[in-house]
Amino acid sequence: MKHLIPYLQDGRKAADYLRQLRWPDGVKCPRCGSDAVEPRERCDNGLQRFNCVPCAVRWGQQFAMFTDWTSSIFEQSKLSPLEWLLVLGLWQLKLNATEIAAAADIQERTAQRCINLLDGGIFETYHLDPARQLEHHVEADECYQSAGSKGLHREVERREREPRHRGLQLRGRATAEMGRPPLLGLVQRRDPTDQDAPAAQVYLEVLENVRSATIKPIIAAKVKSGAQFFTDEYNIYHFTKADYDHRTVNHGAGEYARRDPDGTCVHCNTMEGIWSGLRNFLDRFKGISQRFLHLRVARYEFLHNYGHLNWRQTFEAAMRCIFSTTGDYLRRMTHQHRRMPLTLCYR
Ligand SMILES: [Zn+2]
């Protein structure tokens, strides 16, 4: 995060840098989109105020003010641009709230709120982006992540059972209801012949269960038809024969990779590697709540997919996503006090 150092000198420099990332082609009014804006005096924390001339005319007022952060996820925040810039850098280092609070010298609750805003922004604009699709060689696999309803009394009551005990061993395929939500992972293998190819692109989804009916709309939305599709023998993937060149490895029989007569390498090892990276990342959160699991997973997904870029490019890509959301997803989620069902996302 060395490139942030010049902007961390004072609040104005931090605000100027973030403004440049929000409006690379010049400041536009967040209400009407006009660029007929005039800078006014700054706020105490360094944010620039602007007056939008067309809005002022329309309202019949002398001024129609907005700031660098109007209509962004930072709008309601009490943190200064300087503090936010530091938090953003630490967020990209995959730190948890405790570590960010200590490093940025802010309250832990504030740090928690910050990472939820940032992860929520990435989830809303990057994870849910319908334009992002996988093609060519795609592996699919599922894994299970322990996640409870920590601190969510309402959620525990709703389930009408005792709170989950840590380390509980469950038999059979786990579900979110049992405290071990499954994750579906889809990965497009990196093309080894192309030097400039991006990192292997992944798509990670937190599920309620691993029934075919749950995963079918996700795979249909995220994997282009005609792709080669690699899975293990698990029968939930059988429906993919219709739209994909579906090939399986038989883990039960000790087969983990094989080369078919047409030269295709059949395995799920790319996805296995990503699972171990994801587990390492999630372990940092020391007992993760089911309510926020999908947000943390979205951060990992984003940072993994931009892993081939340098730190600054990844930072600026993250900021483009974060400035294109208004935090609406997180507000609705907070209002519902639980993760929104997937059916809202795939329709
Ligand atoms: Zn305006």
Side-chain angles (χ1 to χ4, degrees):
M1 52 193 284
K2 189 173 143 194
H3 97 271
L4 292 183
I5 291 173
Y7 309 114
L8 289 168
Q9 306 299 319
D10 66 60
R12 290 176 172 226
K13 284 183 179 155
D16 291 347
Y17 177 53
L18 291 171
R19 179 184 329 113
Q20 194 202 323
L21 296 179
R22 180 175 185 182
W23 291 296
D25 306 318
V27 179
K28 290 189 178 63
C29 171
R31 286 179 294 255
C32 68
S34 164
D35 58 0
V37 299
E38 45 188 32
R40 309 294 297 186
E41 69 283 9
R42 287 191 190 242
C43 310
D44 291 341
N45 60 14
L47 286 179
Q48 181 73 56
R49 288 194 186 92
F50 295 91
N51 173 40
C52 173
V53 180
C55 279
V57 170
R58 197 152 29 99
W59 296 351
Q61 292 175 358
Q62 195 179 0
F63 299 113
M65 305 298 284
F66 67 93
T67 75
D68 286 334
W69 283 0
T70 301
S71 302
S72 76
I73 62 166
F74 307 114
E75 187 172 11
Q76 307 288 328
S77 175
K78 290 192 173 60
L79 290 189
S80 68
L82 185 66
E83 289 167 315
W84 261 114
L85 195 58
L86 193 52
V87 167
L88 286 160
L90 298 165
W91 170 86
Q92 193 182 328
L93 290 172
K94 302 180 181 169
L95 302 188
N96 66 29
T98 314
E99 294 160 334
I100 290 178
D105 195 18
I106 57 175
Q107 296 241 352
E108 190 165 332
R109 279 181 59 182
T110 311
Q112 190 69 53
R113 172 88 187 132
C114 289
I115 66 171
N116 287 344
L117 276 173
L118 298 175
D119 291 347
I122 292 292
F123 182 86
E124 188 178 344
T125 55
Y126 183 75
H127 177 79
L128 294 181
D129 178 7
R132 203 157 57 86
Q133 278 199 311
L134 308 177
E135 55 186 344
H136 305 310
H137 304 95
V138 179
E139 296 173 24
D141 194 20
E142 66 294 327
C143 86
Y144 300 86
Q145 170 66 37
S146 287
S149 308
K150 198 170 66 166
L152 298 170
H153 305 293
R154 207 185 293 201
E155 192 69 356
V156 173
E157 277 166 25
R158 192 181 67 84
R159 302 218 159 140
E160 295 176 329
R161 61 162 169 77
E162 292 292 297
R164 184 177 66 87
H165 298 284
R166 300 274 146 177
L168 184 68
Q169 291 299 306
L170 300 160
R171 307 194 67 180
R173 296 284 176 177
T175 63
E177 195 80 4
M178 290 154 84
R180 242 171 114 64
L183 273 75
L184 173 68
L186 301 169
V187 59
Q188 176 180 333
R189 286 186 200 157
R190 186 175 180 276
D191 181 0
T193 58
D194 182 359
Q195 286 284 302
D196 302 320
Q201 295 294 294
V202 296
Y203 181 84
L204 303 170
E205 188 73 69
V206 181
L207 308 171
E208 294 295 323
N209 55 58
V210 282
R211 289 199 280 269
S212 281
T214 312
I215 65 168
K216 196 172 176 176
I218 300 171
I219 291 175
K222 288 297 157 193
V223 185
K224 279 192 186 161
S225 61
Q228 284 193 326
F229 196 72
F230 306 102
T231 68
D232 57 21
E233 291 270 276
Y234 192 19
N235 58 18
I236 55 165
Y237 297 111
H238 285 181
F239 69 88
T240 57
K241 286 250 183 301
D243 294 320
Y244 305 103
D245 176 5
H246 182 206
R247 309 198 187 191
T248 59
V249 277
N250 192 348
H251 287 175
E255 179 190 57
Y256 286 90
R258 117 180 141 248
R259 190 178 286 276
D260 273 357
D262 63 358
T264 307
C265 294
V266 183
H267 64 79
C268 303
N269 295 345
T270 318
M271 203 57 233
E272 302 284 352
I274 289 160
W275 288 140
S276 78
L278 177 70
R279 280 200 196 92
N280 278 335
F281 171 69
L282 293 176
D283 279 350
R284 296 182 150 207
F285 298 94
K286 298 185 181 72
I288 200 160
S289 160
Q290 235 182 70
R291 192 174 156 206
F292 297 114
L293 176 62
H294 65 305
L295 301 186
R296 306 293 170 257
V297 169
R299 180 181 353 167
Y300 183 82
E301 176 185 81
F302 177 87
L303 293 175
H304 176 90
N305 288 351
Y306 279 88
H308 57 289
L309 300 178
N310 68 35
W311 203 88
R312 180 181 191 142
Q313 290 168 320
T314 308
F315 181 84
E316 297 186 349
M319 291 313 299
R320 278 195 297 278
C321 283
I322 283 161
F323 273 125
S324 63
T325 169
T326 54
D328 187 48
Y329 173 81
L330 199 67
R331 260 196 301 279
R332 282 190 293 156
M333 193 188 107
T334 313
H335 180 69
Q336 292 193 331
H337 293 281
R338 58 179 305 220
R339 184 160 64 85
M340 282 207 279
L342 284 172
T343 44
L344 284 177
C345 311
Y346 297 97
R347 264 195 309 206

